[in-house]
């Protein structure tokens, strides 16, 4: 319970900073800059808090004075002024920060990707990753946060428990895909195999998606074609010492004035 209370206090301070601007996706924008023009509060005055009865591992998003927060296997919609809970939608989400458009909230789950109506929390569609690319059942929560652009939803599908923290190698290679779905119907547009999976949030601008896996990939959002990758300049090899491997997958890329910034776990 201590963890829950601390997270909720941080949640409310965060909301005070970004209001009245909308903050509809992880780091605030598809460029993933994490910046806003809204003024920050002068003092850490707590306006309200709500006990959601679960630790919160994702970030809140805000649109039209509503807060959308993932709890344990649920998404909660809260009025930012009255703190009234508008609705609770039971979907198996846990780690993924949702993305919200005008009429739907999209979030990754332990089955795949779900879209929920912003008006009432009803499930609009669900794309099942489990069993899609192999016979293996998806047994853990997808970490990647969705990106919504040009009526498409882009999500990486690597569950966090598939990643071996000592070797930076995935336990399983079968579910390592970047998936693009139709925003309205949830139908699959395309998918792209990735080397070490995608656990970070895709970055999108001008019809191009920038995604970190073992390498940094630049992908055509329309058809999933890889336009370039960073493997030639920054190769990854499991035969090299751990401190000399370039693996970009933990870092969400950021676009700033035409400069793409991403971090690897190389330690020299």
């Amino acid at each position: 319970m201590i963890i829950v209370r601390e997270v909720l206090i941080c949640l409310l301070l965060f909301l005070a900073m970004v209001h009245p601007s909308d903050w509809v996706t992880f780091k605030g924008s598809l460029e993933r800059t994490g910046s806003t023009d809204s003024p920050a509060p002068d003092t850490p005055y707590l306006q309200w808090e709500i006990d959601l009865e679960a630790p919160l591992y994702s970030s809140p998003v805000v649109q039209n004075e509503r807060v959308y927060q993932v709890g344990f296997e649920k998404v909660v919609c809260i009025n930012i002024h009255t703190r009234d809970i508008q609705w609770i939608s039971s979907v198996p989400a846990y780690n993924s920060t949702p993305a919200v458009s005008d009429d739907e909230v999209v979030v990754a789950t332990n089955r795949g990707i779900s879209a929920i109506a912003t008006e009432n929390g009803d499930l609009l569609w669900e794309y099942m990753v489990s069993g899609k690319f192999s016979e293996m059942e998806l047994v853990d929560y997808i970490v990647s946060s969705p990106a919504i652009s040009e009526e498409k939803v882009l999500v990486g599908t690597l569950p966090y428990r598939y990643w071996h923290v000592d070797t930076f190698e995935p336990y399983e290679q079968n579910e390592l895909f970047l998936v693009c779905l139709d925003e309205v119907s949830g139908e699959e547009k395309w998918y792209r195999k990735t080397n070490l999976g995608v656990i970070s949030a895709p970055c999108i601008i001008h019809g191009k998606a920038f995604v970190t896996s073992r390498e940094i990939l630049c992908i055509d959002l329309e058809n999933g074609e890889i336009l370039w990758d960073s493997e030639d300049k920054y190769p990854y090899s499991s035969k090299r010492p751990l401190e000399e491997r370039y693996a970009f997958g933990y870092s969400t890329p950021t676009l700033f004035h035409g400069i793409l910034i991403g971090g690897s776990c190389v330690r020299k």
Side-chain angles (χ1 to χ4, degrees):
M1 187 60 67
I2 293 176
I3 294 176
V4 176
R5 183 175 177 82
E6 288 176 350
V7 173
L8 283 171
I9 288 174
C10 291
L11 166 65
L12 268 299
L13 292 178
F14 172 83
L15 295 179
M17 285 194 298
V18 301
H19 184 70
S21 300
D22 287 343
W23 190 273
V24 297
T25 191
F26 180 62
K27 290 194 172 183
S29 69
L30 290 175
E31 292 85 1
R32 309 299 184 188
T33 60
S35 63
T36 177
D37 294 330
S38 296
D42 294 327
T43 60
Y45 176 72
L46 180 64
Q47 296 186 13
W48 51 258
E49 64 179 355
I50 296 177
D51 185 357
L52 297 183
E53 301 180 349
L56 309 181
Y57 291 109
S58 69
S59 301
V61 292
V62 183
Q63 186 190 61
N64 296 332
E65 302 183 347
R66 285 184 169 190
V67 183
Y68 300 92
Q69 174 68 55
V70 171
F72 178 69
E73 299 196 339
K74 61 187 175 185
V75 177
V76 183
C77 174
I78 306 166
N79 184 293
I80 195 171
H81 295 298
T82 67
R83 82 168 187 173
D84 292 334
I85 294 178
Q86 306 296 299
W87 49 257
I88 298 176
S89 182
S90 297
V91 294
Y94 193 48
N95 285 274
S96 174
T97 294
V100 58
S101 65
D102 288 334
D103 55 5
E104 67 180 9
V105 182
V106 181
V107 65
T109 72
N110 70 343
R111 294 194 300 247
I113 300 122
S114 295
I116 304 163
T118 57
E119 179 63 28
N120 52 23
D122 288 348
L123 183 66
L124 298 175
W125 54 259
E126 184 175 28
Y127 176 85
M128 304 292 285
V129 170
S130 182
K132 174 67 178 179
F133 304 113
S134 73
E135 296 179 357
M136 180 180 64
E137 181 182 359
L138 192 64
V139 294
D140 225 328
Y141 298 91
I142 297 173
V143 179
S144 178
S145 297
I148 302 176
S149 179
E150 299 179 14
E151 298 184 346
K152 297 179 180 65
V153 174
L154 198 62
V155 189
T157 64
L158 174 66
Y160 75 88
R161 199 166 63 186
Y162 285 22
W163 192 263
H164 197 294
V165 296
D166 295 326
T167 63
F168 298 105
E169 298 282 359
Y171 287 122
E172 297 286 350
Q173 299 282 345
N174 295 325
E175 297 284 354
L176 309 186
F177 282 82
L178 178 71
V179 178
C180 181
L181 309 175
D182 183 271
E183 180 187 358
V184 176
S185 65
E187 294 181 358
E188 181 184 289
K189 306 290 288 186
W190 52 262
Y191 58 87
R192 174 63 58 184
K193 181 80 172 180
T194 58
N195 285 310
L196 293 182
V198 178
I199 62 175
S200 61
C203 174
I204 299 178
I205 191 170
H206 301 318
K208 296 179 181 178
F210 299 90
V211 181
T212 55
S213 181
R214 182 175 74 186
E215 63 278 90
I216 299 176
L217 299 169
C218 176
I219 297 175
D220 189 318
L221 184 61
E222 181 62 30
N223 54 29
E225 177 186 355
I226 296 177
L227 302 177
W228 57 257
D229 67 64
S230 64
E231 190 75 349
D232 291 339
K233 293 184 179 295
Y234 306 102
Y236 177 93
S237 173
S238 59
K239 297 180 180 179
R240 301 174 67 180
L242 182 61
E243 67 273 10
E244 296 181 4
R245 301 180 195 177
Y246 288 92
F248 295 91
Y250 282 102
S251 174
T252 293
T254 297
L255 274 168
F256 181 74
H257 291 240
I259 301 172
L260 181 66
I261 306 167
S264 80
C265 51
V266 63
R267 297 189 296 272
K268 289 187 177 180

